[in-house]
Amino acid sequence: MRWLRPSVPREVRDRLRLERGERVLAHTGSREGVLVATDHALHLPDGHRVPWQDIDRARWDAESEAFTFTEEGTGERVFTVPDPGRLAETVHERVTATIVVSHRGELPGEGAGFRLVARRPPGGAEIDWRVHLDDGLDPGDPRVQEAVQHELAAVRERTGV
């Protein structure tokens, strides 16, 4: 028996800039155009390609039909998606798969903290550490910088990453 997956419309496939060996996993229509998830990235209707390791958060809200994601360094994007099909679960799985380490650190006596996240591209070896500060914390504050560096050194020592 042969299982057939719905294929990406030809005009959409023609505009995709797929890397050698990159495979389409899921796609869905949005008011803004077709979103395509591959094993390497999320391809947007405007032709922009977002590697999985660059997506910080993603969610789909059935009530508002909003598929929202935050791309590292560029901010939040929102698409109107009435039916995500397999796209939402594929995005969740692919983004999660890039996370090697996620660790919560606290600022002593502040009641606030940060998250240290080590990410790796699909099939890649290079690790990229990111720091996500709680709202209201100043990345230029020497106390914040010291706490982050201390916690990062401890996490790297424990995990070997």
Side-chain angles (χ1 to χ4, degrees):
M1 180 184 306
R2 191 170 152 211
W3 295 95
L4 299 175
R5 287 189 289 188
S7 62
V8 176
R10 176 174 217 94
E11 64 276 4
V12 173
R13 185 173 276 284
D14 289 347
R15 76 162 164 78
L16 294 175
R17 297 181 322 240
L18 299 179
E19 294 176 354
R20 183 177 176 90
E22 187 172 4
R23 296 178 302 115
V24 171
L25 302 175
H27 71 283
T28 195
S30 74
R31 184 176 298 149
E32 299 79 12
V34 178
L35 297 163
V36 179
T38 70
D39 54 342
H40 293 223
L42 177 64
H43 294 261
L44 306 180
D46 64 4
H48 184 60
R49 177 182 193 282
V50 186
W52 296 122
Q53 69 273 14
D54 292 343
I55 297 177
D56 286 332
R57 279 183 300 255
R59 67 187 175 283
W60 180 70
D61 180 356
E63 188 174 315
S64 65
E65 297 184 341
F67 173 70
T68 306
F69 75 93
T70 305
E71 181 180 359
E72 176 77 20
T74 62
E76 190 172 87
R77 302 274 306 256
V78 180
F79 295 88
T80 305
V81 178
D83 178 12
R86 289 188 22 91
L87 185 83
E89 71 182 80
T90 301
V91 169
H92 179 267
E93 184 273 327
R94 289 289 153 171
V95 169
T96 302
T98 68
I99 299 171
V100 179
V101 175
S102 180
H103 174 79
R104 174 81 182 159
E106 299 290 329
L107 287 169
E110 293 287 327
F114 51 89
R115 178 151 303 279
L116 299 172
V117 182
R119 306 280 301 265
R120 173 179 28 223
E126 188 174 324
I127 301 289
D128 179 33
W129 282 94
R130 298 180 186 165
V131 180
H132 301 274
L133 299 176
D134 286 356
D135 288 339
L137 291 181
D138 177 7
D141 183 335
R143 293 174 308 125
V144 171
Q145 292 175 356
E146 182 180 334
V148 167
Q149 291 305 316
H150 179 271
E151 198 69 29
L152 178 59
V155 169
R156 292 184 82 174
E157 177 70 26
R158 282 193 308 273
T159 64
V161 176

